[in-house]
Amino acid sequence: MFLDEMIDYNKRFVKNKEYVQYQTSKLPDKKLVVVSCMDTRLTELLPKAMNLRNGDAKILKTAGAVVSHPFGSIMRSIIVAIYDLNAHEVCVVGHHDCGMTHVNASETTRKMIERGISEQTISTLNYSGIKIKDWLRGFDSVSESVRQSVEVIRNHPLIPKDIPVHGLVINPETGALDIIENGNSYKSQP
């Protein structure tokens, strides 16, 4: 299993003091919060494409870079980064060829049942107000999804109006960034 391999590597990593090159403060040097997708292609590419080094930004990962609930854990993390960790800007970064554009809630639910989740559990959740099909919904347009997430953050009652919230889309092959929402221009509007 991967856990054993990871722990063996970690022991060597610590023993050889390889961690020294990554030491930094808990406060982001560039005073930035980045909300990005959990896509594996972005693990190293996104920070490099944004000129971010270890310690420069708080990076939050979620499926599709979607901020789906104004009082969910992603929004809480953004608020803590702003008020307690000295972040002054927020970037939502979606990407082309995102897996969330292909999510089919019915198909995912079928896979859950195949893996042992009972249909009764799915039914109970639905009757309790948790609509699995809505909760697992993907999106058709990454640009529109980024705009929606930016709006959730920008219009949140606990986000100061002087915090620019930007929306970008990255090409997961080249790292090219397209600006979807420039929070600086929004901030300057009346």
Side-chain angles (χ1 to χ4, degrees), residues 38-183:
M38 63 183 188
D39 189 293
T40 56
R41 296 172 291 179
L42 303 181
T43 302
E44 291 187 48
L45 178 66
L46 179 70
K48 296 286 187 206
M50 293 180 75
N51 192 30
L52 297 175
R53 294 177 311 146
N54 196 50
D56 281 347
K58 296 297 182 183
I59 300 179
L60 310 173
K61 299 276 194 165
T62 186
V66 173
V67 181
S68 58
H69 194 284
F71 291 94
S73 62
I74 294 295
M75 202 60 228
R76 179 181 59 228
S77 296
I78 293 168
I79 288 168
V80 167
I82 290 169
Y83 289 105
D84 293 331
L85 301 172
N86 206 25
H88 294 177
E89 287 186 68
V90 179
C91 285
V92 176
V93 186
H95 66 93
H96 297 293
D97 189 32
C98 183
M100 287 299 286
T101 60
H102 307 293
V103 169
N104 178 313
S106 297
E107 183 65 16
T108 303
T109 301
R110 182 190 63 73
K111 291 174 185 176
M112 289 176 187
I113 292 167
E114 282 180 2
R115 298 278 305 265
I117 306 301
S118 73
E119 288 186 42
Q120 181 180 357
T121 297
I122 303 294
S123 255
T124 300
L125 289 171
N126 280 321
Y127 286 119
S128 299
I130 300 168
K131 304 295 183 203
I132 301 288
K133 288 184 180 181
D134 291 338
W135 183 62
L136 288 174
R137 181 182 63 239
F139 49 78
D140 294 326
S141 164
V142 67
S143 296
E144 188 53 37
S145 177
V146 166
R147 278 189 189 91
Q148 289 173 0
S149 291
V150 165
E151 287 302 311
V152 169
I153 299 165
R154 184 181 285 151
N155 294 317
H156 196 282
L158 300 177
I159 295 293
K161 297 303 177 204
D162 64 340
I163 296 289
V165 183
H166 313 290
L168 301 114
V169 174
I170 188 171
N171 180 318
E173 301 299 321
T174 67
L177 291 164
D178 296 319
I179 299 173
I180 304 303
E181 290 278 331
N182 182 332

Side-chain angles (χ1 to χ4, degrees), residues 4-75:
D4 295 336
E5 180 184 323
M6 179 179 60
I7 295 301
D8 287 344
Y9 173 86
N10 180 259
K11 287 177 183 175
R12 290 188 305 277
F13 179 87
V14 173
K15 181 180 178 187
N16 296 334
K17 297 187 180 192
E18 293 177 47
Y19 56 84
V20 171
Q21 63 185 319
Y22 303 106
Q23 290 178 329
T24 186
S25 148
K26 69 179 180 178
L27 302 177
D29 292 335
K30 292 190 176 179
K31 300 181 184 334
L32 179 67
V33 180
V34 177
V35 178
S36 83
C37 186
M38 63 183 188
D39 189 293
T40 56
R41 296 172 291 179
L42 303 181
T43 302
E44 291 187 48
L45 178 66
L46 179 70
K48 296 286 187 206
M50 293 180 75
N51 192 30
L52 297 175
R53 294 177 311 146
N54 196 50
D56 281 347
K58 296 297 182 183
I59 300 179
L60 310 173
K61 299 276 194 165
T62 186
V66 173
V67 181
S68 58
H69 194 284
F71 291 94
S73 62
I74 294 295
M75 202 60 228

